Amino acid sequence: MTESICHYADLAGKRIFITGASSGIGAGMAEVLAEQGCDLVLHYHQNQQGIEKTLETVLASGIRAEVVQGDFRNLDLVQSVFDQAWSKFAGLDGLVNNAGVVTKSLSLKDVEGRAFQETLAVNLQAPYLLSTAFAEACKKQQLPGNIVNNSSIHGQATCEWFSAYAASKAGLDALTKVQAVEWGKLGIRVNSLAPGVVPVERTFDVLYQPKMQKKWVSAMPAGRYGTVQDMGMATAFLLSKASEWMTGSVLTLDGGLIARGHYPYRD
Ligand SMILES: NC(=O)c1ccc[n+]([C@@H]2O[C@H](COP(=O)([O-])OP(=O)(O)OC[C@H]3O[C@@H](n4cnc5c(N)ncnc54)[C@H](OP(=O)(O)O)[C@@H]3O)[C@@H](O)[C@H]2O)c1
């Protein structure tokens, strides 16, 4: 376990639902939020071993944690996943829409749009349904709420192979802004994180190959990959009072990767 650098005292006892917490960034967010004293509802899809590991890690922080399961390709199931999460601790203070699929598919290899549709279901439609269910439940109980969407720099700058993924993440950034506008008067904040390259179990082998690492890291002014702890700390910030005036924002965390653009290198 890594110690969180900042402590947001107002997060203690906050009930947060994190989707896709069985590996990678979601597991890192869970670990950091547990260190901040949040009670957690952790979602997974298939990786049971992964979610058990996350559960064990977060429980070591002395918080309460529960698990829910669901495949977001089946949008008919999303409301019931949300209802289970809401009932675990008799309500929720925050929702982190992190679950997602990183689809690499050339448009001409997906002429019927199957990969495109599946990607939009998991990365955009499920967050829409979860956030809307959360806002409705908060409104009924006249409670404030806080939503963090895990988007991607592909929502802002992208490349070949990513039509489905980039469309889903640009859509998620737009959804963040619209829902922030619609729900501001309810006391519900909605913000996005837009990460760059964060090595996770799924990508360790490729991203830590020396040639590949050099190529990526040299393009990042900050000189390193992101970590799941970077993502966890940014999530804690967005869920805390420290960011009270932020809503409808897309917070880019990419070590400066997309700020640089494609200008020639100068000495
Ligand atoms: N890592 C990066 O560099 C990076 C950069 C930008 C954005 N992101 C975003 O960060 C989020 C997490 O990705 P990650 O990199 O941490 O990858 P990851 O380790 O593969 O995590 C993906 C999570 O999403 C869940 N998931 C996948 N398909 C699902 C489905 N059909 N229904 C419900 N849940 C599903 C997975 O659950 P199971 O494993 O249990 O099936 C897993 O918990 C994604 O939204 C991704 O787009 C990542």
Side-chain angles (χ1 to χ4, degrees), residues 117-131:
Q117 278 179 21
E118 203 171 284
T119 306
L120 259 72
V122 177
N123 292 6
L124 179 59
Q125 289 177 273
Y128 170 85
L129 294 172
L130 287 165
S131 295

Side-chain angles (χ1 to χ4, degrees), residues 2 4 18 20-35 40 54 57-58 98 200-201 227-233 235:
T2 50
S4 295
I18 309 175
S22 47
S23 59
I25 292 175
M29 288 169 164
E31 187 176 334
V32 172
L33 293 180
E35 287 166 5
L40 299 174
T54 308
T57 305
V58 301
N98 165 72
V200 294
E201 297 89 322
T227 65
V228 299
Q229 285 77 23
D230 291 325
M231 294 299 298
M233 285 312 301
T235 308

Side-chain angles (χ1 to χ4, degrees), residues 13 15 38-41 58-59 62-66 88-89:
R15 300 156 298 176
C38 298
D39 291 326
L40 299 174
V41 183
V58 301
L59 288 173
I63 54 115
R64 296 184 295 167
E66 296 280 348
K88 293 290 180 190
F89 302 127

Side-chain angles (χ1 to χ4, degrees), residues 126-176:
Y128 170 85
L129 294 172
L130 287 165
S131 295
T132 305
F134 175 72
E136 196 177 44
C138 290
K139 187 179 173 199
K140 251 187 216 155
Q141 302 208 359
Q142 295 188 315
L143 290 171
N146 201 322
I147 298 171
V148 176
N149 292 319
N150 193 8
S151 174
S152 163
I153 50 172
H154 280 276
Q156 300 167 50
T158 189
C159 56
E160 57 280 3
W161 290 90
F162 284 99
S163 54
Y165 186 68
S168 73
K169 296 300 188 177
L172 190 59
D173 290 343
L175 182 67
T176 296

Side-chain angles (χ1 to χ4, degrees), residues 20-25 43-47 70-73 98-102 122 150-152 165 169 195-198 200 202:
S22 47
S23 59
I25 292 175
H43 157 270
Y44 77 107
H45 168 216
Q46 283 181 313
N47 184 354
D71 180 355
F72 294 157
R73 287 173 301 184
N98 165 72
V101 278
V102 184
V122 177
N150 193 8
S151 174
S152 163
Y165 186 68
K169 296 300 188 177
V197 187
V198 182
V200 294
R202 180 173 54 74

